[in-house]
Amino acid sequence: SVPEQSFVKITVYDALGKTVKILVDEQMSEGNYSVALNAGDLSGGIYFYKMEANEFTQTRKMVLVK
């Protein structure tokens, strides 16, 4: 959910902190969005995704099971 127009970036990192995918990197208007991750080229394991918009930054862990 984007509460106001802002530049949004969502990045996926591996367990070592290396960037593996950039899912969103654009100016977005307010509204609700969904993003799909095509993980066909990733191996199973622990990854982190970081969401950034204006002053908001949040990092979460995800587990990819194959």
Side-chain angles (χ1 to χ4, degrees):
S1 180
V2 179
E4 61 186 35
Q5 184 172 359
S6 59
F7 187 82
V8 178
K9 186 170 185 178
I10 302 176
T11 310
V12 178
Y13 300 93
D14 64 13
L16 299 175
K18 179 182 170 191
T19 301
V20 293
K21 287 192 182 279
I22 297 176
L23 301 178
V24 177
D25 191 17
E26 63 186 68
Q27 186 77 21
M28 300 179 88
S29 57
E30 67 180 83
N32 294 316
Y33 299 90
S34 63
V35 177
L37 169 63
N38 181 354
D41 58 337
L42 300 177
S43 59
I46 296 174
Y47 293 88
F48 296 90
Y49 61 95
K50 183 177 182 181
M51 300 176 287
E52 301 171 89
N54 286 346
E55 300 299 317
F56 174 81
T57 300
Q58 184 176 49
T59 303
R60 296 276 177 117
K61 180 172 76 170
M62 66 178 171
V63 178
L64 178 61
V65 180
K66 287 199 160 193

